[in-house]
Amino acid sequence: MKITYFAFLFFTVCLSIFGQQTLPIKVGSEKVKPLTKLIDTSLQANLEDEILGNEAWASLIGQKKMAIGIVDLSNPEHVRFARINGNHMMYAASLPKIAILLAAMDAIEKGELIETSEIKKDMRLMISKSDNAASTRMIDRLGYAKIESVMTDPTYAFYDEGNGGGLWVGKRYGGGGNTNREPLKQLSHAASVTQVCRFYYLLANGKLVNEKRSKQMLNIMENPELHHKFVNTLEIIAPSARLFRKSGSWKTYHSDSILVWGKESNRRYILVALIDDPNGEQIIRNLVKPIEKVLKKPEI
């Protein structure tokens, strides 16, 4: 009997220690708190000090042409969140294709969409290569009403008119057809860093649709096949880290979002940036090292 008890105890301890090494993160549902309740004053102060110390970045932020969000996942039971221009919704090009992915998973889970090999292929192409034709096929299968209903579902509230809007897809990426622009700014493809951070935070914790579908989405988003922006820098400084990512670019609008899951817990975080500037792609590359510096600073 004692052997059985100690075996169980050993298993429980191992699960506690090693369970955090995998995704989705293994913590009790009661510990997955609303991300906006996890704003950390120390992390916020360090983020502002680091970012606003760059004159060019400070200027863009002051003009509401740059927004940044970070989530520290180094301790899943003590998650920390900070953001600059967090609720400022911007045109985000292909980044909101994550909204299509979630709507598709929701539809598949509810039996509204049959999960064929073609649909699986299109979901991967849509995310990993940001393929516009695959994205448009997924939009046409789902319809704008379905995508909107999932984004505005109180379960997620990824688009919230009372808090600046958020994630929205209301136009095909292949051109033509009707549109369904979001109501606040009439944007066709929109995002705010707060809502994108929330998307990744819930995904990392297995809370988008359910754990099975969250794991499936993580698999689709891992190993991005476009190697620019955040990925360009991370492949140099953290070649062994797992990367889950979706980016977007159109004219002067550049955006990127990533879940970084390093072998060591001090390199586990979510990073989101939205920028309206011709040099936005390079700015996003240059953000990674300062953000990692912020994350490693001791709490004030």
Side-chain angles (χ1 to χ4, degrees), residues 94-99 101-102 105 123-129 196 199-201 203-204 208 213-226 231 242-247 256-259:
S94 290
L95 189 157
K97 289 174 183 177
I98 59 176
L101 179 64
L102 174 58
M105 288 296 174
M123 288 192 294
R124 173 63 185 175
L125 285 171
M126 175 177 71
I127 298 299
S128 67
K129 291 188 175 180
V196 179
F199 180 98
Y200 279 88
Y201 171 66
L203 179 64
L208 291 188
R213 295 301 178 189
S214 291
K215 190 176 293 186
Q216 191 175 353
M217 282 186 270
L218 284 165
N219 289 338
I220 289 169
M221 297 182 73
E222 190 169 13
N223 298 321
E225 296 182 50
L226 299 178
V231 172
R242 298 175 67 190
L243 306 178
F244 307 80
R245 184 275 192 112
K246 187 70 198 80
S247 65
D256 208 352
S257 60
I258 198 160
L259 165 60

Side-chain angles (χ1 to χ4, degrees), residues 46-47 50-51 54 57 68 70 233 237 271 283-297:
N46 287 333
L47 175 64
E50 185 70 29
I51 299 302
N54 182 303
W57 297 355
I68 303 169
I70 57 174
T233 302
I237 67 173
L271 174 58
I283 293 172
I284 290 173
R285 290 189 187 198
N286 293 344
L287 270 174
V288 177
K289 290 181 180 179
I291 290 299
E292 290 209 346
K293 180 181 174 183
V294 168
L295 289 164
K296 291 173 183 176
K297 284 185 177 181

Side-chain angles (χ1 to χ4, degrees), residues 246-269:
K246 187 70 198 80
S247 65
S249 288
W250 184 74
K251 295 186 177 180
T252 62
Y253 293 95
H254 299 273
S255 57
D256 208 352
S257 60
I258 198 160
L259 165 60
V260 180
W261 195 256
K263 289 185 177 180
E264 303 299 325
S265 62
N266 64 357
R267 184 173 267 142
R268 293 178 183 172
Y269 59 87

Side-chain angles (χ1 to χ4, degrees), residues 42-58:
S42 176
L43 185 64
Q44 184 70 36
N46 287 333
L47 175 64
E48 291 176 5
D49 183 61
E50 185 70 29
I51 299 302
L52 297 179
N54 182 303
E55 188 175 333
W57 297 355

Side-chain angles (χ1 to χ4, degrees), residues 39 70 81 122 130 141 204-205 208 242 289:
I39 295 171
I70 57 174
F81 175 45
D122 275 350
S130 203
R141 289 169 181 135
N205 282 284
L208 291 188
R242 298 175 67 190
K289 290 181 180 179

